[in-house]
């Protein structure tokens, strides 16, 4: 067995005891993570989100002595939460224009008529999902989100065989439902 | 790619094209809950609850897809394409049998023409394990003075990176380049934890050929 990467006591050192520039480094790590999660239409808010994330971490550190030196997982989670909260605030305020709102994770080069067609199919999928058996609905939802069968099994506590089976049967049900609705994806 | 192969991708695009500011019925989970779900830090039942909501809530489905960019999530490092993974195993096995028949036929042809002795044929190895399992019983609590984590080894040449956190993601210990599939957490690392507090650990294996396999997150109480 090899060595420990970090002395566990060092993991809990206070920022005040850290080397100069540690906070700047922390902000840089937040910027990198926020940049990973921030959609293009929100890029003008990256600085604000980074600042928000940094403040959240500070508050958490004040509440919890053990959070004095965050790991990469915590940095990523705080950056994600700050970004999604900002997305939700924007959505609530309806600040996003119709054009900007289209700048989602979906490819931007899609022609308007094809985008409208995709949304129509998407709406049908959403209705059909509601009619699937519960476990098949879970499996197909994760599949449509881009998860593999092994990931689905891990997330839902299923064996790989069961995950594959649920995806296969659920996708067959989904196709049948779409056909019944006259939707051809 | 055939039309049939392209269908899942078209369905995914259609599902993702729904307006991300459209909320479904019921209360949306907090971003932290979505994050914990996709990182397998919730119970499968709780993950199911989030996914159930997401099926009818394009906004939360959008938030989930953003979380999928995380390099820490289950399957995040591998970047495997989900296409084709919904095929039943029977089809996969049929393909394997056909491929094996072709290889066997080619091998026999070579042997027939070259006159090589049959005992120098290729050696086939069983497929290597693609998941890492915890060998610590799931509901066992760990004594803080001798908290030993064990997991199923991937291969002889694998090196392991271990991350141990509390439930609020506070780092407890990190270990890299481990050559054996076990690790004893130093008691000093557990000093700040109260009795009954939960630790979460994940391990990533890296083979000499660069292949990476990451485990799900395992939990244990410290006593």
């Amino acid at each position: 067995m090899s060595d420990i990467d970090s002395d566990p006591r060092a993991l809990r050192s206070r920022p005040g005891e850290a080397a100069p520039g540690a906070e700047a480094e922390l902000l840089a790590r937040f910027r990198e993570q926020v940049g990973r999660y921030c959609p293009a239409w929100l890029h003008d808010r990256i600085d604000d989100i980074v600042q928000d994330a940094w403040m959240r971490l500070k508050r958490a550190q004040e509440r919890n002595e053990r959070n004095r030196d965050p790991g990469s997982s915590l940095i990523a989670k705080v950056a994600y939460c700050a970004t999604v909260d900002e997305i939700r605030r924007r959505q609530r305020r309806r600040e996003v224009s119709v054009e900007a709102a289209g700048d989602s994770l979906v490819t931007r080069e899609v022609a308007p008529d094809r985008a409208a067609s995709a949304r129509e199919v998407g709406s049908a999928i959403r209705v059909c999902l509601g009619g699937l058996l519960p476990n098949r609905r879970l499996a197909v939802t994760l599949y449509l989100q881009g998860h593999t069968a092994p990931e689905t099994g891990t997330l839902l506590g299923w064996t790989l065989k069961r995950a594959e089976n649920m995806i296969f049967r659920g996708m067959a049900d989904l196709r049948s439902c779409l056909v019944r609705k006259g939707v051809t994806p | 790619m055939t039309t049939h192969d392209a269908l899942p991708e078209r369905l995914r695009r259609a599902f993702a094209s729904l307006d991300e500011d459209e909320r479904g019925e019921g209360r949306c989970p907090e971003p932290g809950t979505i994050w914990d779900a996709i990182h397998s830090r919730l119970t499968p039942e709780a993950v199911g609850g989030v996914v159930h909501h997401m099926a009818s809530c394009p906004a939360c489905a959008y938030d989930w897809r953003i979380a999928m960019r995380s390099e820490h999530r289950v399957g995040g490092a591998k970047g495997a394409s989900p296409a084709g993974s919904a095929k039943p195993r029977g089809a996969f096995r049929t393909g394997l049998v056909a491929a094996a028949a072709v290889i066997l036929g080619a091998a026999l042809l070579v042997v027939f023409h070259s006159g090589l002795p049959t005992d120098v044929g290729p050696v086939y190895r069983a497929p290597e394990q693609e998941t890492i399992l915890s060998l610590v019983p799931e509901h066992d609590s760990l004594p803080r003075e001798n908290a030993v984590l064990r997991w199923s080894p991937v291969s002889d040449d694998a090196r392991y990176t271990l991350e141990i956190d509390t439930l609020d993601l506070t780092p407890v210990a990190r270990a890299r380049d481990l050559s054996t599939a076990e690790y004893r957490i130093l008691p000093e690392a557990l000093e700040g934890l109260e009795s009954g507090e939960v630790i979460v650990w994940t391990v990533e294996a890296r083979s000499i050929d660069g292949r990476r396999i990451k485990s799900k997150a395992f939990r244990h109480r410290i006593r």
Side-chain angles (χ1 to χ4, degrees):
Chain A
M1 183 179 296
S2 182
D3 62 327
I4 308 174
D5 175 49
S6 309
D7 181 343
R9 283 161 294 194
L11 286 168
R12 295 185 187 155
S13 62
R14 293 163 184 269
E17 298 166 350
E23 300 221 342
E25 185 190 331
L26 185 62
L27 281 172
R29 290 167 70 189
F30 268 131
R31 178 171 289 280
E32 180 193 344
Q33 287 298 318
V34 170
R36 177 190 292 263
Y37 302 120
C38 191
W41 57 265
L42 203 57
H43 272 186
D44 63 325
R45 298 280 296 167
I46 280 186
D47 286 342
D48 295 327
I49 298 170
V50 168
Q51 188 67 24
D52 180 33
W54 188 77
M55 291 300 293
R56 287 172 189 231
L57 186 67
K58 287 287 172 193
R59 284 196 293 272
Q61 286 174 331
E62 286 167 9
R63 287 195 304 269
N64 187 348
E65 281 292 310
R66 291 206 315 267
N67 268 338
R68 289 291 174 181
D69 196 351
S72 60
S73 299
L74 182 58
I75 294 277
K77 180 177 179 179
V78 172
Y80 169 80
C81 290
T83 305
V84 170
D85 276 339
E86 181 60 24
I87 290 171
R88 291 182 176 187
R89 270 194 294 275
R90 283 280 189 116
Q91 289 164 346
R92 271 201 298 272
R93 291 175 194 159
R94 303 287 182 197
E95 289 178 354
V96 184
S97 70
V98 173
E99 287 178 11
D103 188 7
S104 64
L105 297 177
V106 183
T107 316
R108 303 295 299 134
E109 292 77 28
V110 177
D113 56 336
R114 288 183 61 191
S117 171
R119 277 196 292 276
E120 184 187 340
V121 175
S123 296
I125 289 173
R126 188 178 165 194
V127 172
C128 287
L129 278 177
L132 298 186
L133 293 172
N135 282 342
R136 294 183 189 183
R137 183 190 312 143
L138 298 180
V140 170
T141 302
L142 289 175
Y143 187 70
L144 291 176
Q145 289 283 61
H147 287 284
T148 62
E151 290 168 19
T152 298
T154 300
L155 289 168
L156 297 175
W158 295 344
T159 62
L160 175 60
K161 187 175 179 182
R162 185 177 185 205
E164 287 176 334
N165 191 278
M166 288 295 150
I167 294 171
F168 185 73
R169 291 173 187 273
M171 286 298 287
D173 291 348
L174 176 62
R175 286 192 193 104
S176 301
C177 176
L178 292 174
V179 168
R180 282 198 302 275
K181 289 183 178 300
V183 175
T184 48
Chain B
M1 182 183 283
T2 66
T3 304
H4 182 73
D5 291 335
L7 181 61
E9 190 52 41
R10 288 205 301 274
L11 292 175
R12 282 191 195 102
R13 284 186 175 277
F15 187 62
S17 71
L18 293 169
D19 289 336
E20 64 262 21
D21 57 353
E22 187 182 345
R23 298 273 160 196
E25 291 179 5
R27 185 185 170 86
C28 292
E30 293 296 322
T33 305
I34 293 176
W35 178 272
D36 287 342
I38 206 169
H39 288 80
S40 212
R41 289 180 179 272
L42 300 179
T43 63
E45 291 75 22
V47 174
V50 174
V51 177
H52 178 79
H53 172 82
M54 183 168 74
S56 66
C57 181
C60 285
Y62 179 75
D63 297 343
W64 181 285
R65 289 193 294 276
I66 293 177
M68 286 178 72
R69 297 174 180 180
S70 164
E71 59 196 358
H72 301 281
R73 74 174 176 88
V74 171
K78 287 177 282 190
S81 166
S85 61
K87 289 178 183 171
R89 282 181 151 183
F92 179 65
R93 287 196 187 115
T94 305
L96 271 184
V97 169
V102 170
I103 292 170
L104 183 63
L108 285 174
L109 201 62
V110 168
V111 169
F112 178 76
H113 281 290
S114 63
L116 287 173
T118 54
D119 60 352
V120 294
V123 176
Y124 295 104
R125 297 174 62 186
E128 292 188 6
Q129 186 178 328
E130 289 298 331
T131 56
I132 299 176
L133 305 172
S134 169
L135 300 183
V136 184
E138 192 174 355
H139 299 295
D140 273 13
S141 58
L142 303 173
R144 64 180 63 238
E145 66 280 3
N146 189 30
V148 180
L149 305 177
R150 293 190 181 86
W151 56 91
S152 55
V154 171
S155 62
D156 292 341
D157 57 18
R159 291 291 185 273
Y160 304 96
T161 299
L162 181 69
E163 292 196 359
I164 308 166
D165 299 318
T166 60
L167 275 179
D168 63 4
L169 297 178
T170 303
V172 173
R174 299 282 186 268
R176 286 184 185 157
D177 205 30
L178 301 174
S179 57
T180 56
E182 70 170 34
Y183 180 74
R184 177 175 177 261
I185 309 172
L186 292 182
E188 301 94 285
L190 301 171
E191 274 174 0
L193 302 187
E194 294 179 7
S195 187
E197 195 161 347
V198 174
I199 60 165
V200 182
W201 60 282
T202 58
V203 61
E204 183 180 78
R206 193 181 66 252
S207 299
I208 202 163
D209 60 2
R211 197 164 49 99
R212 289 170 184 263
I213 302 171
K214 189 162 186 177
S215 76
K216 59 178 274 193
F218 306 109
R219 305 165 177 223
H220 295 284
R221 289 189 188 280
I222 296 296
R223 64 172 190 265

